[in-house]
Amino acid sequence: MQETLELTRTSRKIVSQMLAGYTLEQLNKIPEGYNNNLIWNIAHIVVVQQMLVYKLSGMPMMISDEMVEKYKKGTKPEHIVTQAEVDEIQTLLMETINQTETDLQNKNFTNYQEYPTSAGIVLKSASEAMAFNDFHEGLHIGIIMSIRKFI
Protein backbone atom coordinates (compact mmCIF):
# COMPACT_ATOMS: atom_id res chain seq x y z
CA MET A 1 0.00 0.00 0.00
CA GLN A 2 2.94 2.35 0.65
CA GLU A 3 3.87 2.27 -3.05
CA THR A 4 0.31 3.19 -4.03
CA LEU A 5 0.30 6.13 -1.61
CA GLU A 6 3.66 7.36 -2.87
CA LEU A 7 2.38 7.22 -6.44
CA THR A 8 -0.69 9.19 -5.36
CA ARG A 9 1.49 11.77 -3.62
CA THR A 10 3.63 12.16 -6.75
CA SER A 11 0.48 12.60 -8.85
CA ARG A 12 -0.88 15.18 -6.44
CA LYS A 13 2.40 17.13 -6.35
CA ILE A 14 2.35 17.35 -10.14
CA VAL A 15 -1.26 18.55 -10.09
CA SER A 16 -0.54 21.00 -7.26
CA GLN A 17 2.29 22.57 -9.26
CA MET A 18 0.03 22.83 -12.30
CA LEU A 19 -2.69 24.45 -10.20
CA ALA A 20 -0.28 27.03 -8.82
CA GLY A 21 0.95 27.94 -12.30
CA TYR A 22 -2.27 29.34 -13.75
CA THR A 23 -4.44 32.39 -13.26
CA LEU A 24 -8.08 32.13 -12.22
CA GLU A 25 -9.08 33.00 -15.77
CA GLN A 26 -6.93 30.19 -17.18
CA LEU A 27 -8.17 27.67 -14.61
CA ASN A 28 -11.79 28.49 -15.47
CA LYS A 29 -11.41 28.56 -19.27
CA ILE A 30 -13.10 25.73 -21.17
CA PRO A 31 -11.26 25.37 -24.47
CA GLU A 32 -13.21 24.78 -27.65
CA GLY A 33 -13.89 21.08 -28.08
CA TYR A 34 -13.72 20.34 -24.33
CA ASN A 35 -16.55 20.06 -21.82
CA ASN A 36 -14.54 20.97 -18.74
CA ASN A 37 -11.55 23.02 -17.58
CA LEU A 38 -8.36 22.71 -15.55
CA ILE A 39 -9.92 23.44 -12.17
CA TRP A 40 -12.82 21.04 -12.72
CA ASN A 41 -10.39 18.19 -13.47
CA ILE A 42 -8.28 18.99 -10.41
CA ALA A 43 -11.25 19.23 -8.05
CA HIS A 44 -12.74 16.11 -9.63
CA ILE A 45 -9.74 13.97 -8.67
CA VAL A 46 -10.08 15.12 -5.04
CA VAL A 47 -13.80 14.33 -5.01
CA VAL A 48 -13.51 10.92 -6.66
CA GLN A 49 -10.78 9.77 -4.26
CA GLN A 50 -12.94 10.74 -1.31
CA MET A 51 -16.00 9.03 -2.72
CA LEU A 52 -14.18 5.82 -3.73
CA VAL A 53 -12.34 5.41 -0.45
CA TYR A 54 -14.39 7.14 2.26
CA LYS A 55 -17.98 7.18 1.07
CA LEU A 56 -17.90 3.55 -0.07
CA SER A 57 -16.41 2.65 3.34
CA GLY A 58 -19.24 4.42 5.13
CA MET A 59 -16.84 6.98 6.59
CA PRO A 60 -17.18 10.77 6.60
CA MET A 61 -15.47 12.49 3.69
CA MET A 62 -13.12 15.45 4.15
CA ILE A 63 -15.00 17.43 1.51
CA SER A 64 -18.37 19.15 1.53
CA ASP A 65 -21.52 17.80 -0.09
CA GLU A 66 -21.51 20.96 -2.20
CA MET A 67 -18.06 20.11 -3.56
CA VAL A 68 -19.24 16.58 -4.36
CA GLU A 69 -22.23 17.94 -6.28
CA LYS A 70 -20.02 20.28 -8.33
CA TYR A 71 -17.26 17.83 -9.25
CA LYS A 72 -18.53 14.25 -9.09
CA LYS A 73 -18.66 12.00 -12.13
CA GLY A 74 -21.14 13.25 -14.70
CA THR A 75 -20.86 16.93 -13.80
CA LYS A 76 -19.32 19.79 -15.74
CA PRO A 77 -18.27 23.34 -14.82
CA GLU A 78 -21.34 25.46 -14.14
CA HIS A 79 -19.80 28.35 -12.23
CA ILE A 80 -16.64 30.44 -12.19
CA VAL A 81 -14.36 29.11 -9.45
CA THR A 82 -13.13 31.77 -7.01
CA GLN A 83 -9.64 32.13 -5.57
CA ALA A 84 -10.96 30.90 -2.21
CA GLU A 85 -12.17 27.70 -3.88
CA VAL A 86 -8.84 27.26 -5.66
CA ASP A 87 -7.03 27.67 -2.33
CA GLU A 88 -9.28 25.06 -0.71
CA ILE A 89 -8.72 22.60 -3.57
CA GLN A 90 -4.97 23.21 -3.37
CA THR A 91 -4.99 22.35 0.35
CA LEU A 92 -7.21 19.30 -0.11
CA LEU A 93 -4.90 17.81 -2.75
CA MET A 94 -2.38 16.76 -0.07
CA GLU A 95 -4.47 16.79 3.11
CA THR A 96 -6.86 14.15 1.80
CA ILE A 97 -4.01 11.78 0.94
CA ASN A 98 -2.25 12.34 4.26
CA GLN A 99 -5.48 11.53 6.12
CA THR A 100 -6.12 8.50 3.91
CA GLU A 101 -2.68 7.16 4.79
CA THR A 102 -3.40 7.60 8.51
CA ASP A 103 -6.79 5.93 8.19
CA LEU A 104 -5.31 3.02 6.23
CA GLN A 105 -2.57 2.55 8.84
CA ASN A 106 -5.21 2.60 11.59
CA LYS A 107 -7.31 0.07 9.65
CA ASN A 108 -10.33 2.40 9.73
CA PHE A 109 -11.74 1.12 6.43
CA THR A 110 -13.59 -2.02 7.50
CA ASN A 111 -16.99 -1.80 5.83
CA TYR A 112 -16.31 -1.38 2.12
CA GLN A 113 -19.27 -1.49 -0.25
CA GLU A 114 -18.24 -3.17 -3.53
CA TYR A 115 -18.24 -0.80 -6.47
CA PRO A 116 -18.06 -1.62 -10.19
CA THR A 117 -16.18 1.20 -11.93
CA SER A 118 -16.98 2.44 -15.41
CA ALA A 119 -13.64 0.90 -16.47
CA GLY A 120 -15.04 -2.53 -15.64
CA ILE A 121 -13.02 -3.06 -12.45
CA VAL A 122 -14.92 -4.09 -9.32
CA LEU A 123 -13.43 -2.47 -6.23
CA LYS A 124 -13.75 -4.59 -3.08
CA SER A 125 -11.68 -2.64 -0.53
CA ALA A 126 -10.31 0.80 0.27
CA SER A 127 -6.86 -0.44 -0.75
CA GLU A 128 -8.16 -1.49 -4.16
CA ALA A 129 -9.93 1.86 -4.42
CA MET A 130 -6.63 3.69 -3.83
CA ALA A 131 -4.90 1.62 -6.50
CA PHE A 132 -7.70 2.34 -8.96
CA ASN A 133 -7.58 5.99 -7.93
CA ASP A 134 -4.02 6.26 -9.24
CA PHE A 135 -5.25 5.05 -12.63
CA HIS A 136 -8.13 7.55 -12.51
CA GLU A 137 -5.86 10.45 -11.58
CA GLY A 138 -3.49 9.52 -14.40
CA LEU A 139 -6.34 9.80 -16.88
CA HIS A 140 -7.22 13.26 -15.62
CA ILE A 141 -3.60 14.42 -15.59
CA GLY A 142 -3.56 13.51 -19.28
CA ILE A 143 -6.68 15.60 -19.85
CA ILE A 144 -5.17 18.48 -17.86
CA MET A 145 -2.01 18.35 -19.98
CA SER A 146 -4.14 18.44 -23.12
CA ILE A 147 -6.25 21.40 -21.94
CA ARG A 148 -3.09 23.36 -21.02
CA LYS A 149 -2.17 23.58 -24.69
CA PHE A 150 -5.31 25.61 -25.41
CA ILE A 151 -5.31 28.15 -22.61
Side-chain angles (χ1 to χ4, degrees):
M1 179 56 22
Q2 199 57 41
E3 294 86 2
T4 299
L5 288 164
E6 286 309 310
L7 184 57
T8 307
R9 275 201 180 85
T10 300
S11 164
R12 296 289 177 98
K13 285 176 187 169
I14 290 166
V15 171
S16 178
Q17 290 169 349
M18 289 178 184
L19 179 58
Y22 293 95
T23 65
L24 266 178
E25 182 181 349
Q26 290 171 316
L27 291 169
N28 280 292
K29 181 178 181 177
I30 302 173
E32 188 175 328
Y34 289 83
N35 60 4
N36 54 45
N37 53 29
L38 292 174
I39 194 63
W40 183 92
N41 278 280
I42 295 169
H44 174 73
I45 67 171
V46 171
V47 166
V48 168
Q49 185 270 337
Q50 289 288 290
M51 293 180 75
L52 287 176
V53 178
Y54 284 83
K55 186 173 183 179
L56 290 171
S57 294
M59 293 182 59
M61 295 185 287
M62 294 178 62
I63 57 175
S64 68
D65 292 341
E66 178 184 5
M67 188 172 183
V68 170
E69 289 306 310
K70 287 180 184 176
Y71 301 108
K72 68 184 178 182
K73 180 180 174 182
T75 64
K76 62 183 181 182
E78 297 194 11
H79 76 291
I80 300 298
V81 174
T82 65
Q83 187 60 52
E85 290 171 292
V86 170
D87 294 345
E88 177 186 22
I89 292 163
Q90 181 70 278
T91 299
L92 287 168
L93 278 168
M94 296 312 290
E95 281 185 358
T96 52
I97 300 310
N98 292 338
Q99 185 61 51
T100 300
E101 180 175 30
T102 299
D103 288 335
L104 283 163
Q105 289 171 344
N106 293 336
K107 299 185 183 347
N108 291 339
F109 301 107
T110 56
N111 248 351
Y112 197 82
Q113 176 186 337
E114 264 189 32
Y115 178 74
T117 69
S118 55
I121 299 167
V122 178
L123 304 177
K124 298 178 182 174
S125 69
S127 296
E128 287 181 17
M130 279 304 298
F132 177 79
N133 183 68
D134 285 341
F135 165 76
H136 178 259
E137 290 192 15
L139 290 174
H140 284 278
I141 288 173
I143 294 166
I144 289 166
M145 293 174 89
S146 178
I147 289 174
R148 292 184 331 166
K149 295 175 185 175
F150 300 101
I151 61 165

